[in-house]
Amino acid sequence: MNIGIIGAGHIGSALAVRLTSLDHTVYIANSRGPETLKDVEQKTGATPVTAEEAARRGTDLIVVTIPLKNIPDLPNDLFAGVPAQVPVIDTSNYYPLLRDGQMPELETGDLTESEWVQQHLGRPVVKVFNNIYAAHLENKGQPAGTTGRIALPVASDDAAAKQKVMALVEELGFDAVDDGTLHESWRQQPGTPSYGADMPADKLREHLASLGTERTEAQHAEYLANHAKQEQEMAAQGIKLK
Ligand SMILES: NC(=O)c1ccc[n+]([C@@H]2O[C@H](COP(=O)([O-])OP(=O)(O)OC[C@H]3O[C@@H](n4cnc5c(N)ncnc54)[C@H](OP(=O)(O)O)[C@@H]3O)[C@@H](O)[C@H]2O)c1
């Protein structure tokens, strides 16, 4: 496949390494321009391009993997001319304390993170790869059928795009578990029990089903509070996000 990745940090680079190793052709972009991506090119085998070029050349799949706060900085016409059937993956997570600042719609729970991203991009997205550490994404894929194989939740309002992305998740060495619509994707957001937990498929399916589909106020408050605590712990350890 021809895959465009916008964002060349932890997740973008991890995906690029794995995808080129599976013989996909990968175009990768950051905010500062292709000339600043020589190291990434060497490490991943992906071709550095601009964000617009990544969207044009990713004729089979586009991945947007930049900090949530930077989504509004992407060019307005990023997807101009990109056929509707090309899936767009969103990997974002909301880190209000360490990186993104407070976003009202996410604080109130009116929108999930990826609904917010979808509104800003003006294009249906598929949410995946947000709840696994970049290093695990790069190194912990295993063949189908391996006991304890990590499962990844995949959510989207576009059923066809979701199916394509679930097939890619399997190819990358993870069990793909359907997490419903983007509105239901709160179940894979930070602060929820499956976030960063590397659950196998049976446990993840059971866990997602146990949460229901419509987020209650109590669940929203609980998961925001869990995540706030995680962010405070990260801050205390001196961890900084860009
Ligand atoms: N790190 C993880 O383990 C992990 C796991 C799951 C999900 N996530 C989520 O995935 C997203 C990406 O995380 P990350 O850790 O990979 O981020 P990161 O390491 O900080 O890298 C961010 C990348 O985005 C690029 N970027 C920023 N603004 C851009 C713009 N306007 N146009 C093009 N590129 C832009 C940056 O380019 P420059 O350096 O040139 O600015 C950089 O290459 C975040 O929402 C994060 O919460 C992260």
Side-chain angles (χ1 to χ4, degrees):
M1 289 201 286
N2 290 316
I3 300 175
I5 303 182
I6 299 169
H10 295 96
I11 291 286
S13 296
L15 277 174
V17 165
R18 293 289 296 118
L19 290 167
T20 55
S21 80
L22 292 165
D23 287 337
H24 295 297
T25 302
V26 178
Y27 302 94
I28 194 160
N30 64 0
S31 75
R32 288 165 293 145
E35 65 284 358
T36 65
L37 287 171
K38 295 256 183 305
D39 289 355
V40 172
E41 178 177 24
Q42 203 163 27
K43 181 191 164 208
T44 68
T47 303
V49 292
T50 63
E52 288 91 340
E53 279 179 292
R56 301 289 170 280
R57 295 206 205 177
T59 51
D60 296 296
L61 178 74
I62 298 165
V63 182
V64 178
T65 180
I66 71 174
L68 197 59
K69 68 173 166 56
N70 298 121
I71 292 281
D73 302 338
L74 290 169
N76 287 334
D77 59 352
L78 185 60
F79 298 110
V82 175
Q85 70 271 17
V86 178
V88 176
I89 288 177
D90 164 43
T91 75
S92 40
N93 291 314
Y94 176 45
Y95 275 76
L97 177 68
L98 290 178
R99 189 187 58 206
D100 299 317
Q102 289 217 332
M103 298 182 173
E105 304 96 320
L106 303 186
E107 289 295 322
T108 58
D110 289 346
L111 296 177
T112 59
E113 290 154 357
S114 289
E115 284 179 307
W116 186 90
V117 171
Q118 181 163 275
Q119 278 190 2
H120 276 273
L121 295 183
R123 169 109 196 173
V125 300
V126 182
K127 183 169 187 119
V128 66
F129 305 131
N130 75 296
N131 77 334
I132 181 165
Y133 293 109
H136 294 194
L137 182 59
E138 188 170 334
N139 300 311
K140 293 206 169 185
Q142 287 179 301
T146 306
T147 306
R149 191 186 200 216
I150 296 171
L152 300 181
V154 186
S156 182
D157 302 337
D158 179 334
K162 181 157 63 176
Q163 285 313 312
K164 285 184 199 163
V165 170
M166 287 179 79
L168 183 73
V169 168
E170 295 279 347
E171 195 186 334
L172 286 166
F174 302 93
D175 284 341
V177 168
D178 191 334
D179 189 25
T181 64
L182 280 195
H183 192 60
E184 292 159 4
S185 67
W186 58 270
R187 300 182 297 190
Q188 66 192 74
Q189 288 185 176
T192 62
S194 68
Y195 186 69
D198 290 349
M199 288 180 180
D202 51 352
K203 196 171 165 202
L204 181 60
R205 281 198 193 91
E206 195 182 319
H207 163 67
L208 295 174
S210 76
L211 296 179
T213 53
E214 196 60 40
R215 177 169 52 179
T216 65
E217 279 185 28
Q219 285 170 321
H220 181 53
E222 179 186 346
Y223 300 141
L224 268 188
N226 286 348
H227 187 43
K229 196 166 161 234
Q230 287 161 358
E231 282 202 283
Q232 281 154 10
E233 285 165 5
M234 289 167 75
Q237 290 165 31
I239 295 172
K240 291 194 172 84
L241 301 182
K242 275 204 295 184

Coordinates of all heavy atoms in Angstrom, one line a residue, residues 121-209:
L121 N -10.9 18.2 11.0 CA -10.3 17.7 9.7 C -11.4 17.8 8.6 O -11.0 17.8 7.4 CB -9.8 16.3 9.8 CG -8.6 16.1 10.7 CD1 -8.1 14.7 10.6 CD2 -7.4 17.1 10.3
G122 N -12.7 17.8 9.0 CA -13.7 17.8 8.0 C -13.8 16.5 7.1 O -14.1 16.5 5.9
R123 N -13.4 15.4 7.8 CA -13.2 14.2 7.1 C -13.4 13.0 8.1 O -12.9 13.1 9.2 CB -11.8 14.2 6.6 CG -11.2 13.0 6.0 CD -11.1 13.1 4.5 NE -10.9 11.8 4.0 CZ -10.8 11.5 2.7 NH1 -11.0 12.5 1.8 NH2 -10.7 10.3 2.2
P124 N -14.1 11.9 7.7 CA -14.3 10.8 8.6 C -12.9 10.2 9.0 O -12.0 10.1 8.2 CB -15.1 9.8 7.9 CG -15.7 10.5 6.7 CD -14.8 11.7 6.4
V125 N -12.8 9.9 10.3 CA -11.5 9.3 10.8 C -11.8 8.0 11.4 O -12.9 7.6 11.8 CB -10.7 10.2 11.8 CG1 -10.4 11.6 11.1 CG2 -11.5 10.4 13.1
V126 N -10.7 7.2 11.5 CA -10.7 5.9 12.2 C -9.8 6.1 13.4 O -8.6 6.4 13.2 CB -10.2 4.8 11.3 CG1 -10.3 3.4 12.1 CG2 -11.0 4.7 10.0
K127 N -10.3 5.8 14.6 CA -9.5 6.0 15.8 C -8.8 4.6 16.2 O -9.5 3.7 16.4 CB -10.3 6.5 17.0 CG -9.4 6.7 18.2 CD -10.1 7.4 19.3 CE -9.1 7.7 20.4 NZ -9.0 9.1 20.6
V128 N -7.5 4.6 16.2 CA -6.7 3.4 16.6 C -5.3 3.8 16.9 O -4.9 5.0 16.6 CB -6.8 2.4 15.4 CG1 -6.0 2.9 14.2 CG2 -6.2 1.0 15.8
F129 N -4.6 2.9 17.5 CA -3.2 3.1 17.9 C -3.0 4.2 19.0 O -1.9 4.6 19.2 CB -2.3 3.5 16.7 CG -2.3 2.6 15.5 CD1 -2.5 3.0 14.3 CD2 -2.1 1.2 15.7 CE1 -2.5 2.2 13.2 CE2 -2.2 0.3 14.7 CZ -2.4 0.8 13.4
N130 N -4.1 4.6 19.6 CA -4.0 5.7 20.6 C -3.7 5.1 22.0 O -3.3 5.8 22.9 CB -5.3 6.5 20.7 CG -6.4 5.8 21.4 OD1 -6.9 4.8 20.9 ND2 -6.8 6.3 22.5
N131 N -4.1 3.8 22.2 CA -4.0 3.3 23.5 C -2.9 2.3 23.7 O -2.9 1.5 24.6 CB -5.3 2.8 24.0 CG -5.6 1.4 23.4 OD1 -5.1 1.1 22.4 ND2 -6.4 0.6 24.1
I132 N -1.9 2.4 22.8 CA -0.7 1.5 23.0 C 0.6 2.4 22.9 O 0.6 3.3 22.1 CB -0.6 0.4 21.9 CG1 0.6 -0.5 22.1 CG2 -0.7 1.0 20.5 CD1 0.5 -1.8 21.3
Y133 N 1.5 2.1 23.8 CA 2.8 2.9 23.8 C 3.5 2.7 22.4 O 3.5 1.5 21.9 CB 3.7 2.4 24.9 CG 3.2 2.7 26.3 CD1 2.7 1.7 27.1 CD2 3.1 4.0 26.7 CE1 2.2 2.0 28.4 CE2 2.6 4.3 28.0 CZ 2.2 3.3 28.8 OH 1.7 3.6 30.0
A134 N 4.1 3.7 22.0 CA 4.8 3.7 20.7 C 5.8 2.5 20.6 O 5.9 1.8 19.6 CB 5.5 5.0 20.4
A135 N 6.6 2.3 21.7 CA 7.6 1.2 21.7 C 6.9 -0.1 21.6 O 7.4 -1.1 20.9 CB 8.4 1.3 22.9
H136 N 5.7 -0.3 22.2 CA 5.0 -1.6 22.1 C 4.5 -1.8 20.7 O 4.5 -2.9 20.1 CB 3.9 -1.6 23.1 CG 4.4 -1.6 24.5 ND1 3.6 -2.0 25.6 CD2 5.6 -1.4 25.0 CE1 4.3 -1.9 26.7 NE2 5.5 -1.5 26.4
L137 N 4.0 -0.7 20.1 CA 3.5 -0.7 18.7 C 4.6 -1.2 17.8 O 4.4 -2.0 16.9 CB 3.0 0.7 18.3 CG 2.4 0.8 16.9 CD1 1.2 -0.1 16.7 CD2 1.9 2.3 16.7
E138 N 5.8 -0.7 18.0 CA 6.9 -1.0 17.2 C 7.4 -2.5 17.4 O 7.9 -3.1 16.5 CB 8.1 0.0 17.4 CG 9.2 -0.2 16.4 CD 10.2 1.0 16.4 OE1 9.8 2.1 16.8 OE2 11.4 0.7 16.1
N139 N 7.4 -2.9 18.7 CA 8.1 -4.2 19.0 C 7.3 -5.3 19.5 O 7.8 -6.4 19.6 CB 9.1 -3.9 20.1 CG 10.1 -2.8 19.7 OD1 10.7 -2.9 18.6 ND2 10.3 -1.8 20.5
K140 N 6.0 -5.1 19.7 CA 5.2 -6.2 20.4 C 4.2 -6.9 19.5 O 3.3 -7.6 20.0 CB 4.6 -5.7 21.7 CG 5.6 -5.3 22.7 CD 5.0 -5.5 24.1 CE 6.2 -5.4 25.2 NZ 5.7 -5.6 26.5
G141 N 4.2 -6.6 18.2 CA 3.3 -7.3 17.3 C 3.7 -8.8 17.3 O 4.9 -9.1 17.3
Q142 N 2.7 -9.7 17.1 CA 2.9 -11.1 17.1 C 2.0 -11.7 16.0 O 1.0 -11.2 15.7 CB 2.6 -11.7 18.4 CG 3.7 -11.4 19.5 CD 3.3 -12.0 20.8 OE1 2.3 -11.7 21.4 NE2 4.2 -12.8 21.3
P143 N 2.4 -12.9 15.6 CA 1.5 -13.6 14.6 C 0.1 -13.9 15.1 O 0.0 -14.1 16.3 CB 2.3 -14.9 14.3 CG 3.7 -14.7 14.7 CD 3.6 -13.7 15.9
A144 N -0.8 -13.9 14.2 CA -2.2 -14.2 14.7 C -2.2 -15.6 15.3 O -1.5 -16.5 14.9 CB -3.1 -14.3 13.4
G145 N -3.0 -15.7 16.4 CA -3.1 -17.0 17.1 C -2.2 -17.1 18.3 O -2.3 -18.0 19.1
T146 N -1.2 -16.2 18.4 CA -0.2 -16.3 19.5 C -1.0 -16.0 20.8 O -1.7 -15.0 20.9 CB 0.9 -15.2 19.3 OG1 1.5 -15.4 18.1 CG2 2.0 -15.4 20.4
T147 N -0.8 -16.8 21.8 CA -1.4 -16.6 23.1 C -1.0 -15.2 23.7 O 0.2 -14.9 23.7 CB -1.0 -17.7 24.1 OG1 -1.3 -18.9 23.5 CG2 -1.8 -17.6 25.4
G148 N -1.9 -14.4 24.2 CA -1.6 -13.2 24.8 C -1.3 -12.1 23.7 O -0.9 -11.0 24.1
R149 N -1.6 -12.3 22.5 CA -1.4 -11.3 21.4 C -2.2 -10.0 21.9 O -3.4 -10.1 22.3 CB -1.9 -11.8 20.1 CG -1.6 -10.9 18.9 CD -2.3 -11.5 17.7 NE -1.7 -11.1 16.4 CZ -2.3 -10.8 15.3 NH1 -3.7 -10.9 15.3 NH2 -1.7 -10.4 14.2
I150 N -1.6 -8.9 21.8 CA -2.2 -7.6 22.2 C -3.3 -7.3 21.2 O -3.1 -7.4 20.0 CB -1.2 -6.5 22.2 CG1 -0.1 -6.8 23.3 CG2 -1.9 -5.1 22.5 CD1 1.1 -5.8 23.3
A151 N -4.5 -6.8 21.7 CA -5.6 -6.4 20.9 C -5.7 -4.9 20.9 O -5.5 -4.3 22.0 CB -6.9 -7.0 21.4
L152 N -6.1 -4.3 19.8 CA -6.2 -2.9 19.7 C -7.7 -2.5 19.3 O -8.2 -3.1 18.3 CB -5.3 -2.3 18.7 CG -3.8 -2.5 19.0 CD1 -2.9 -1.8 17.9 CD2 -3.4 -1.9 20.3
P153 N -8.3 -1.6 20.1 CA -9.7 -1.2 19.7 C -9.6 -0.2 18.5 O -8.7 0.6 18.4 CB -10.1 -0.4 20.9 CG -8.9 0.0 21.6 CD -7.8 -0.9 21.3
V154 N -10.6 -0.4 17.6 CA -10.7 0.4 16.4 C -12.1 1.0 16.3 O -13.1 0.2 16.3 CB -10.4 -0.4 15.1 CG1 -10.4 0.4 13.9 CG2 -9.2 -1.3 15.3
A155 N -12.3 2.3 16.3 CA -13.6 3.0 16.2 C -13.7 3.9 15.0 O -12.7 4.6 14.7 CB -13.8 3.8 17.5
S156 N -14.9 3.9 14.4 CA -15.1 4.8 13.3 C -16.6 4.8 13.0 O -17.3 3.9 13.2 CB -14.3 4.4 12.1 OG -14.6 5.3 11.0
D157 N -17.1 5.9 12.4 CA -18.4 6.0 11.8 C -18.5 5.5 10.4 O -19.6 5.3 9.8 CB -18.9 7.5 11.8 CG -18.9 8.0 13.3 OD1 -18.9 7.2 14.2 OD2 -18.8 9.3 13.4
D158 N -17.3 5.2 9.8 CA -17.2 4.8 8.4 C -16.9 3.3 8.4 O -15.7 2.9 8.7 CB -16.1 5.6 7.7 CG -15.9 5.2 6.3 OD1 -16.2 4.1 5.9 OD2 -15.5 6.1 5.5
A159 N -17.9 2.5 8.2 CA -17.7 1.0 8.4 C -16.6 0.4 7.4 O -15.8 -0.4 7.8 CB -19.0 0.3 8.1
A160 N -16.6 0.9 6.2 CA -15.7 0.4 5.2 C -14.3 0.8 5.6 O -13.3 -0.1 5.5 CB -16.0 0.9 3.8
A161 N -14.1 2.0 6.0 CA -12.7 2.4 6.4 C -12.3 1.6 7.6 O -11.1 1.2 7.7 CB -12.8 3.9 6.7
K162 N -13.2 1.4 8.5 CA -12.9 0.7 9.7 C -12.4 -0.8 9.4 O -11.4 -1.2 9.9 CB -14.1 0.6 10.7 CG -13.8 -0.1 12.0 CD -14.7 0.3 13.2 CE -16.1 -0.1 12.9 NZ -16.9 0.2 14.1
Q163 N -13.1 -1.4 8.4 CA -12.7 -2.8 8.0 C -11.3 -2.8 7.5 O -10.5 -3.6 7.8 CB -13.7 -3.3 7.0 CG -15.0 -3.8 7.6 CD -14.9 -4.6 8.9 OE1 -14.1 -5.6 8.9 NE2 -15.6 -4.3 9.9
K164 N -11.0 -1.8 6.6 CA -9.6 -1.7 6.0 C -8.6 -1.6 7.1 O -7.5 -2.2 7.1 CB -9.5 -0.5 5.0 CG -10.2 -0.8 3.7 CD -10.0 0.4 2.8 CE -11.0 0.4 1.7 NZ -11.1 1.7 1.0
V165 N -8.9 -0.7 8.1 CA -7.9 -0.4 9.1 C -7.8 -1.6 10.1 O -6.6 -2.0 10.5 CB -8.3 0.9 9.9 CG1 -7.4 1.0 11.1 CG2 -8.2 2.1 9.0
M166 N -8.9 -2.3 10.3 CA -8.8 -3.5 11.2 C -7.9 -4.6 10.5 O -7.1 -5.2 11.2 CB -10.2 -4.1 11.5 CG -10.9 -3.2 12.5 SD -12.6 -3.7 12.9 CE -12.3 -5.0 14.0
A167 N -7.9 -4.7 9.2 CA -7.1 -5.6 8.4 C -5.6 -5.2 8.6 O -4.7 -6.1 8.8 CB -7.5 -5.7 7.0
L168 N -5.3 -3.9 8.6 CA -3.9 -3.5 8.7 C -3.4 -3.7 10.2 O -2.3 -4.1 10.4 CB -3.8 -2.0 8.4 CG -2.4 -1.4 8.5 CD1 -1.6 -1.9 7.3 CD2 -2.4 0.1 8.6
V169 N -4.3 -3.5 11.1 CA -3.9 -3.8 12.5 C -3.5 -5.2 12.7 O -2.5 -5.5 13.3 CB -5.1 -3.5 13.5 CG1 -4.9 -4.0 14.9 CG2 -5.4 -1.9 13.5
E170 N -4.3 -6.1 12.1 CA -3.9 -7.6 12.1 C -2.6 -7.8 11.4 O -1.7 -8.5 11.9 CB -5.0 -8.4 11.4 CG -6.3 -8.4 12.1 CD -6.4 -9.3 13.3 OE1 -5.5 -10.2 13.5 OE2 -7.4 -9.2 14.1
E171 N -2.3 -7.2 10.3 CA -1.1 -7.3 9.5 C 0.1 -6.8 10.4 O 1.2 -7.4 10.3 CB -1.2 -6.5 8.2 CG -0.1 -6.8 7.2 CD -0.2 -5.9 6.0 OE1 -1.2 -5.3 5.7 OE2 0.9 -5.7 5.4
L172 N -0.1 -5.8 11.2 CA 0.9 -5.3 12.1 C 1.2 -6.2 13.3 O 2.1 -5.9 14.1 CB 0.6 -3.9 12.5 CG 0.7 -2.8 11.5 CD1 0.0 -1.5 11.9 CD2 2.1 -2.5 11.1
G173 N 0.4 -7.2 13.5 CA 0.6 -8.1 14.6 C -0.2 -8.0 15.8 O 0.2 -8.4 16.9
F174 N -1.4 -7.4 15.6 CA -2.3 -7.2 16.8 C -3.7 -7.6 16.4 O -4.1 -7.6 15.2 CB -2.3 -5.7 17.1 CG -1.0 -5.1 17.5 CD1 -0.2 -4.5 16.5 CD2 -0.5 -5.3 18.8 CE1 1.1 -4.0 16.8 CE2 0.8 -4.8 19.1 CZ 1.6 -4.2 18.1
D175 N -4.4 -8.1 17.4 CA -5.8 -8.5 17.2 C -6.6 -7.2 17.1 O -6.5 -6.3 17.9 CB -6.4 -9.3 18.3 CG -5.9 -10.8 18.3 OD1 -5.5 -11.2 17.2 OD2 -6.0 -11.5 19.3
A176 N -7.5 -7.0 16.1 CA -8.3 -5.8 15.9 C -9.6 -6.1 16.5 O -10.3 -7.0 16.2 CB -8.4 -5.5 14.4
V177 N -10.0 -5.2 17.4 CA -11.3 -5.3 18.1 C -12.2 -4.1 17.8 O -11.8 -3.0 17.9 CB -11.1 -5.5 19.6 CG1 -12.5 -5.3 20.4 CG2 -10.5 -6.8 20.0
D178 N -13.4 -4.4 17.3 CA -14.3 -3.3 16.9 C -14.8 -2.5 18.1 O -15.4 -3.1 19.0 CB -15.5 -3.9 16.1 CG -16.4 -2.8 15.5 OD1 -16.4 -1.7 15.9 OD2 -17.0 -3.2 14.5
D179 N -14.5 -1.2 18.2 CA -14.9 -0.4 19.4 C -16.1 0.5 18.9 O -16.3 1.6 19.6 CB -13.8 0.4 19.9 CG -14.1 1.1 21.3 OD1 -15.1 0.6 21.9 OD2 -13.5 2.1 21.6
G180 N -16.8 0.1 17.9 CA -18.0 0.9 17.6 C -17.8 2.2 16.9 O -16.8 2.3 16.1
T181 N -18.6 3.2 17.1 CA -18.5 4.5 16.5 C -17.5 5.4 17.2 O -17.1 5.1 18.3 CB -19.9 5.2 16.5 OG1 -20.2 5.4 17.9 CG2 -21.0 4.3 15.9
L182 N -17.3 6.5 16.6 CA -16.4 7.5 17.2 C -17.0 8.0 18.5 O -16.3 8.3 19.5 CB -16.1 8.7 16.3 CG -15.1 8.6 15.2 CD1 -14.8 10.0 14.7 CD2 -13.9 7.8 15.6
H183 N -18.3 8.1 18.5 CA -19.0 8.6 19.8 C -18.8 7.6 20.9 O -18.8 8.0 22.1 CB -20.5 8.7 19.5 CG -21.2 9.5 20.6 ND1 -20.9 10.8 20.9 CD2 -22.2 9.1 21.4 CE1 -21.7 11.2 21.9 NE2 -22.5 10.2 22.2
E184 N -18.6 6.3 20.5 CA -18.3 5.3 21.6 C -16.8 5.1 21.9 O -16.5 4.4 22.8 CB -18.9 4.0 21.1 CG -20.4 4.0 21.0 CD -21.0 2.9 20.1 OE1 -20.3 2.1 19.5 OE2 -22.2 2.9 19.9
S185 N -16.0 5.9 21.2 CA -14.5 5.7 21.4 C -14.0 6.2 22.7 O -12.8 6.1 23.0 CB -13.8 6.3 20.2 OG -13.9 7.7 20.2
W186 N -14.9 6.8 23.5 CA -14.4 7.2 24.9 C -13.9 6.0 25.6 O -13.1 6.2 26.5 CB -15.6 7.9 25.6 CG -16.8 7.0 25.8 CD1 -17.9 7.0 24.9 CD2 -17.1 6.1 26.8 NE1 -18.8 6.0 25.4 CE2 -18.3 5.5 26.6 CE3 -16.4 5.7 28.0 CZ2 -18.9 4.6 27.4 CZ3 -17.0 4.8 28.8 CH2 -18.2 4.2 28.5
R187 N -14.3 4.8 25.2 CA -14.0 3.6 25.9 C -12.5 3.3 25.7 O -12.0 2.4 26.4 CB -14.8 2.4 25.4 CG -16.3 2.7 25.7 CD -17.2 1.6 25.3 NE -17.1 1.3 23.8 CZ -18.0 0.5 23.2 NH1 -18.9 -0.2 23.9 NH2 -17.9 0.3 21.9
Q188 N -11.8 3.9 24.8 CA -10.4 3.6 24.5 C -9.5 4.9 24.9 O -8.3 4.9 24.5 CB -10.1 3.1 23.1 CG -10.4 4.1 22.0 CD -10.4 3.4 20.6 OE1 -11.3 2.7 20.3 NE2 -9.3 3.6 19.8
Q189 N -10.2 5.9 25.5 CA -9.4 7.1 25.7 C -8.6 7.0 27.0 O -8.8 6.1 27.9 CB -10.4 8.3 25.8 CG -11.0 8.7 24.5 CD -11.9 9.9 24.5 OE1 -12.3 10.4 23.5 NE2 -12.2 10.4 25.7
P190 N -7.7 8.0 27.2 CA -6.9 8.0 28.5 C -7.8 8.0 29.7 O -8.9 8.5 29.7 CB -6.2 9.3 28.4 CG -6.0 9.6 26.9 CD -7.3 9.0 26.3
G191 N -7.3 7.3 30.8 CA -8.0 7.2 32.0 C -9.0 6.0 32.1 O -9.4 5.7 33.2
T192 N -9.2 5.4 31.0 CA -10.1 4.2 31.0 C -9.2 3.0 31.2 O -8.0 3.0 31.0 CB -10.9 4.0 29.7 OG1 -9.9 3.8 28.6 CG2 -11.8 5.2 29.4
P193 N -9.8 1.9 31.7 CA -8.9 0.7 32.1 C -8.1 0.1 31.0 O -7.0 -0.5 31.2 CB -9.9 -0.3 32.7 CG -11.1 0.5 33.2 CD -11.2 1.7 32.2
S194 N -8.5 0.2 29.7 CA -7.8 -0.5 28.7 C -6.7 0.4 28.1 O -5.9 0.0 27.3 CB -8.7 -0.9 27.5 OG -9.2 0.3 26.9
Y195 N -6.6 1.7 28.6 CA -5.6 2.6 28.0 C -4.2 2.2 28.5 O -3.9 2.1 29.7 CB -5.9 4.0 28.5 CG -5.0 5.1 27.9 CD1 -5.1 5.4 26.6 CD2 -4.0 5.7 28.7 CE1 -4.3 6.4 26.0 CE2 -3.2 6.7 28.1 CZ -3.3 7.0 26.8 OH -2.5 8.0 26.3
G196 N -3.4 1.8 27.5 CA -2.0 1.4 27.8 C -1.9 0.0 28.5 O -0.8 -0.3 29.0
A197 N -3.0 -0.7 28.5 CA -3.0 -2.0 29.2 C -2.6 -3.2 28.4 O -2.5 -4.3 29.0 CB -4.4 -2.2 29.9
D198 N -2.5 -3.1 27.1 CA -2.1 -4.2 26.3 C -2.9 -5.5 26.5 O -2.4 -6.6 26.7 CB -0.6 -4.6 26.5 CG 0.3 -3.5 25.9 OD1 -0.1 -2.6 25.2 OD2 1.5 -3.6 26.3
M199 N -4.2 -5.3 26.6 CA -5.1 -6.4 26.8 C -5.2 -7.4 25.6 O -5.2 -6.9 24.5 CB -6.6 -5.9 27.1 CG -6.7 -5.2 28.4 SD -8.5 -4.7 28.6 CE -8.4 -3.9 30.2
P200 N -5.4 -8.7 25.9 CA -5.7 -9.6 24.8 C -7.2 -9.4 24.3 O -8.0 -8.8 25.1 CB -5.5 -11.0 25.4 CG -5.6 -10.8 26.8 CD -5.3 -9.4 27.2
A201 N -7.5 -10.0 23.2 CA -8.8 -9.7 22.6 C -10.0 -10.0 23.4 O -11.0 -9.3 23.6 CB -8.9 -10.3 21.2
D202 N -10.0 -11.2 24.0 CA -11.2 -11.7 24.8 C -11.4 -10.7 26.0 O -12.5 -10.3 26.3 CB -11.0 -13.1 25.3 CG -9.7 -13.4 26.0 OD1 -8.8 -12.5 26.0 OD2 -9.6 -14.5 26.5
K203 N -10.3 -10.3 26.7 CA -10.4 -9.4 27.8 C -10.9 -8.0 27.3 O -11.7 -7.4 28.0 CB -9.1 -9.3 28.5 CG -9.2 -8.7 29.9 CD -7.9 -8.9 30.7 CE -7.9 -8.0 31.9 NZ -6.6 -7.7 32.4
L204 N -10.3 -7.6 26.2 CA -10.7 -6.2 25.7 C -12.2 -6.2 25.3 O -12.9 -5.3 25.7 CB -9.8 -5.8 24.5 CG -10.1 -4.5 23.9 CD1 -9.9 -3.3 25.0 CD2 -9.2 -4.2 22.7
R205 N -12.7 -7.2 24.6 CA -14.1 -7.3 24.2 C -15.0 -7.3 25.4 O -16.0 -6.5 25.5 CB -14.4 -8.5 23.4 CG -13.9 -8.4 22.0 CD -14.6 -9.4 21.0 NE -13.9 -9.4 19.8 CZ -12.8 -10.2 19.5 NH1 -12.4 -11.1 20.4 NH2 -12.2 -10.1 18.4
E206 N -14.6 -8.1 26.4 CA -15.4 -8.2 27.7 C -15.4 -6.8 28.4 O -16.5 -6.3 28.8 CB -14.8 -9.2 28.6 CG -15.6 -9.7 29.7 CD -14.7 -10.7 30.5 OE1 -14.0 -11.5 29.9 OE2 -14.8 -10.6 31.7
H207 N -14.3 -6.2 28.4 CA -14.2 -4.9 29.1 C -15.0 -3.8 28.4 O -15.7 -3.1 29.0 CB -12.7 -4.5 29.1 CG -12.5 -3.1 29.4 ND1 -12.8 -2.5 30.6 CD2 -12.0 -2.1 28.6 CE1 -12.5 -1.2 30.6 NE2 -12.1 -0.9 29.4
L208 N -14.9 -3.7 27.1 CA -15.6 -2.7 26.3 C -17.1 -2.9 26.5 O -17.9 -2.0 26.7 CB -15.3 -2.8 24.8 CG -13.8 -2.4 24.5 CD1 -13.6 -2.6 23.0 CD2 -13.5 -1.0 24.8
A209 N -17.6 -4.2 26.4 CA -19.0 -4.5 26.6 C -19.5 -4.1 28.0 O -20.6 -3.6 28.2 CB -19.3 -5.9 26.4

